[in-house]
Each structure stands twice: as structure tokens, then as C-alpha cells.
Amino acid sequence: VWRLEPLGDGAARPDLFIWTPKSGALQRVTTGASVRQADPHPDGTRAAAVRCTDGRCDLMLVDLRTGAVSAVLPPVDGVTWGRPRWSPDGASLVASRHVDARWRVTLVDVRTGTLRDVGPDDQADRYDAAFADSGRAVVYTSELGGVPNITRLELASGVEQALTRVT
């Protein structure tokens, strides 16, 4: 989990913790790292997260044993990342990426840094994605039609299917 931690000057900064609900134990992972929205890797050794500082939010990896934070990708002006989620095999991430005035769902190969936007290129905002069907699909929020709805995208075919129809 992440929560805001107070700084000496009265401000607060987000840090990561490992919470064990059964016992209530809370173990601090980072100190002053400004990381949030973490998702643990399937092997439990690291987490993908977002670090927001100086007006930008970058995609990061956090070592859950040491608290060390490293960038997945070099920072790019005008690009903001949100809510990364690991694939079931731990080889890639799906995350929200804000670029060119809209949110996109982007796959990130963690080893190579290769990016792949998924979903139609219709100018609709798409965000808050997670893998589904053992990594064969992603589910996300789509604002196609002007109202947020949950949508499923089959990665192999690119076929998008609305799961909700909120009016």
C-alpha cells in the first residue's frame, strides 16, 4: 500500500509499505521516494509504481527488500504515467500513459523498454488497465462516447468489447 507520510516542513510525500491484513503489520519500504500506485511483481521481490515529482509522473520499479527505486524508462517531457499493473508472467506492464492531451493504455516490455499502445486510435481516453485472461486481454476504463465504461481488449486480435454501458 502507499500512504502520505509527513515531512519535517509540514508537507507530506507518498511512500510504499507492505501491509499484512491478517496481522495488521505495516512494514515501511521507501522513505521520501514519492512513489504511489504500486503493484507487486508476481515473484514478490519488486513493485511497479509511479513517482510524481516536479510536475511529472514517471514509471518506476521499487525493490521491496531494500526500497531502492529505479526508472523503467527515461523521463520524457509531456508524458505522465499512471497505475502500472504487472502481466501474470511478470515480463511486462500495462499502464495509463498521458501524452498528446489524452490517456492511452500502453504495454511496456520491462526488459527492453519497448512501448505499445493498445486499443483503437479514436481520440477517446482509456486508462486504469489491468491484465485479464492470463495476460491475453486487458480490461480498462474507456471514455468512448463521453462516459466512462469498462472495456475488454483482446491483445492478439485488437478486438474491443464494452462490458458496461453507463449512460
Side-chain angles (χ1 to χ4, degrees):
V1 297
W2 66 276
R3 72 179 188 186
L4 292 175
E5 286 294 299
L7 301 175
D9 63 0
R13 181 172 291 148
D15 274 309
L16 295 186
F17 295 78
I18 297 174
W19 175 46
T20 307
K22 193 171 194 172
S23 69
L26 191 65
Q27 173 191 346
R28 190 173 194 146
V29 175
T30 62
T31 301
S34 291
V35 288
R36 62 189 81 201
Q37 302 176 351
D39 187 49
H41 188 275
D43 71 9
T45 63
R46 58 189 170 156
V50 172
R51 177 172 60 193
C52 298
T53 57
D54 302 323
R56 98 184 321 111
C57 294
D58 296 314
L59 200 53
M60 309 302 286
L61 295 178
V62 180
D63 184 311
L64 294 175
R65 295 171 299 225
T66 67
V69 179
S70 60
V72 174
L73 303 164
V76 176
D77 286 337
V79 175
T80 294
W81 290 91
R83 202 176 175 277
R85 297 295 177 256
W86 286 102
S87 61
D89 67 4
S92 61
L93 296 166
V94 63
S96 306
R97 184 171 66 111
H98 192 265
V99 62
D100 297 331
R102 72 178 172 107
W103 285 102
R104 305 162 193 251
V105 172
T106 303
L107 297 177
V108 180
D109 183 309
V110 177
R111 284 175 247 145
T112 66
T114 304
L115 305 180
R116 177 179 146 213
D117 290 334
V118 297
D121 188 15
D122 55 14
Q123 304 306 306
D125 283 325
R126 290 176 174 82
Y127 49 88
D128 289 347
F131 284 97
D133 300 328
S134 299
R136 295 187 309 269
V138 290
V139 177
Y140 49 80
T141 301
S142 170
E143 292 189 9
L144 183 65
V147 177
N149 277 286
I150 306 301
T151 302
R152 180 184 180 280
L153 178 87
E154 183 70 34
L155 290 171
S157 67
V159 172
E160 190 179 55
Q161 174 191 9
L163 300 178
T164 62
R165 297 205 191 286
V166 176
T167 56

